[in-house]
Amino acid sequence: MKPEDNYIEINKNSWKNILIIFVLLASPLLLFAQRIEKHNSGEIINWKEFEINNNKWGTYKIKKGTYDQSIFLENDMPGWRWKTPGKSYGVLGYPMIFLGTSAWYKLNEIKSDNYFKNLEEIKSFNVDYKTDLKVDDKKYNLAFDFWLHNSPKVAFETIGAEVMIWEDYNKFKPFGKKQGKLTTSNGQYEVYTGKIFKKELNKGWDYIAFVRLNKRRSGKLILMEFINYMKEHNLYKNNSYLSSFEFGTEILTSTGEIKILQYEVEIK
């Protein structure tokens, strides 16, 4: 072996050692970069065309104990976890995947039409989802939620109806009275209706809930089947406008975690 060959061999080994050290030092940073978690109410994480929203709207009702709820994105997989005081204070939060425009603007702040979709113009509305949900034997649901407005100017004053589709639930019943049953391509749902009035807003709206009989945590929905049922039964007004379409867990007394393995929404 020539002296210069020995030098080249030593130099190669040195670079290998440097590379190994760099990888060891960088690995924690790379792992950290692949995970985002947020704990504050209303914080969001952008994911694809959606927002993951840490909605804690009902925590003001807690009189004793602490409530923890956070959203996260890990290796491009969103989810959230929560831990309640275990006592019944009603719905404390609805961490969710959000698409569209917030229903909660003030009308005097809206200068032009801001709706997400005109309900009458939607021809195809499909969802395909898959979750990994771990939760204890207490109150919660896994549900879609969307808001219909009586004006193209979306604000809480123009809310006409809230529509929910409960896919999974435990020890928890919807607001309103049972009015009928809907059979869809992917399962049967009991239909509940009622009128909600919020004193603090001096505002009310219709509430419609489709509660799945054969509970599930993954599946497909053809939303037009639900919308057509509501239209046939006069459950919403003509010229209604969709502000947002959401998917989350209403949390009451349970503790759990959900990972969203798949979530696709198609609206045409």
Side-chain angles (χ1 to χ4, degrees):
M1 178 181 291
K2 297 178 182 178
E4 56 268 29
D5 292 337
N6 187 51
Y7 171 79
I8 292 170
E9 188 66 29
I10 292 172
N11 197 42
K12 284 181 178 179
N13 290 332
S14 298
W15 277 109
K16 286 180 181 178
N17 291 335
I18 292 171
L19 182 60
I20 291 169
I21 292 171
F22 174 79
V23 170
L24 290 173
L25 291 173
S27 292
L29 295 176
L30 291 172
L31 289 173
F32 180 78
Q34 292 172 353
R35 179 179 177 81
I36 303 170
E37 186 164 5
K38 296 188 177 182
H39 294 263
N40 294 330
S41 179
E43 285 191 305
I44 64 172
I45 298 173
N46 292 312
W47 176 65
K48 298 182 179 179
E49 67 267 38
F50 310 104
E51 292 179 353
I52 314 302
N53 188 310
N54 197 31
N55 181 358
K56 298 183 181 181
W57 73 268
T59 54
Y60 69 92
K61 296 179 284 188
I62 297 175
K63 296 179 181 179
K64 186 176 181 181
T66 58
Y67 176 66
D68 182 61
Q69 177 186 299
S70 63
I71 55 174
F72 60 83
L73 183 66
E74 186 170 14
N75 296 323
D76 202 39
M77 181 186 297
W80 48 89
R81 57 174 57 91
W82 65 93
K83 185 176 182 180
T84 71
K87 295 183 178 180
S88 184
Y89 297 113
V91 177
L92 301 178
Y94 180 66
M96 62 179 173
I97 304 175
F98 176 93
L99 178 66
T101 301
S102 173
W104 301 102
Y105 289 110
K106 293 181 179 179
L107 188 57
N108 61 11
E109 297 174 350
I110 307 303
K111 305 304 179 184
S112 60
D113 296 351
N114 63 333
Y115 66 91
F116 177 47
K117 297 288 182 181
N118 183 333
L119 202 63
E120 299 301 321
E121 295 177 354
I122 298 175
K123 304 302 180 186
S124 175
F125 193 170
N126 302 308
V127 178
D128 192 352
Y129 76 98
K130 185 177 181 181
T131 73
D132 179 12
L133 174 61
K134 296 179 174 63
V135 62
D136 61 6
D137 188 27
K138 292 188 178 181
K139 296 180 182 179
Y140 74 92
N141 73 15
L142 176 68
F144 296 91
D145 192 17
F146 57 99
W147 299 85
L148 301 179
H149 297 251
N150 300 324
S151 166
K153 291 183 173 60
V154 166
F156 77 83
E157 294 97 329
T158 66
I159 293 174
E162 178 187 9
V163 183
M164 298 197 76
I165 303 173
W166 291 29
E167 293 286 279
D168 184 33
Y169 47 93
N170 190 56
K171 299 180 178 179
F172 182 24
K173 292 183 178 180
F175 174 80
K177 295 182 179 180
K178 186 164 64 174
Q179 299 293 340
K181 186 180 292 185
L182 168 64
T183 299
T184 74
S185 302
N186 297 292
Q188 287 189 324
Y189 295 79
E190 290 183 332
V191 184
Y192 291 77
T193 63
K195 291 187 178 294
I196 291 175
F197 186 82
K198 296 288 187 181
K199 291 182 180 179
E200 64 272 23
L201 299 175
N202 193 31
K203 168 65 180 174
W205 54 81
D206 294 329
Y207 175 84
I208 304 111
F210 296 90
V211 180
R212 188 175 177 86
L213 295 179
N214 184 18
K215 296 185 282 188
R216 63 179 181 174
R217 297 174 179 179
S218 300
K220 296 181 179 182
L221 288 89
I222 301 173
L223 270 296
M224 292 309 300
E225 295 179 332
F226 298 88
I227 293 170
N228 289 337
Y229 177 93
M230 291 191 295
K231 187 173 184 177
E232 291 168 4
H233 291 80
N234 298 312
L235 295 181
Y236 73 88
K237 295 180 180 179
N238 293 332
N239 300 316
S240 288
Y241 297 85
L242 175 66
S243 59
S244 63
F245 182 73
E246 304 158 4
F247 176 60
T249 49
E250 285 190 304
I251 298 162
L252 291 89
T253 60
S254 64
T255 291
E257 176 182 283
I258 187 171
K259 293 180 180 178
I260 308 300
L261 307 180
Q262 179 183 352
Y263 189 71
E264 298 173 3
V265 178
E266 178 192 66
I267 308 179
K268 294 181 181 179

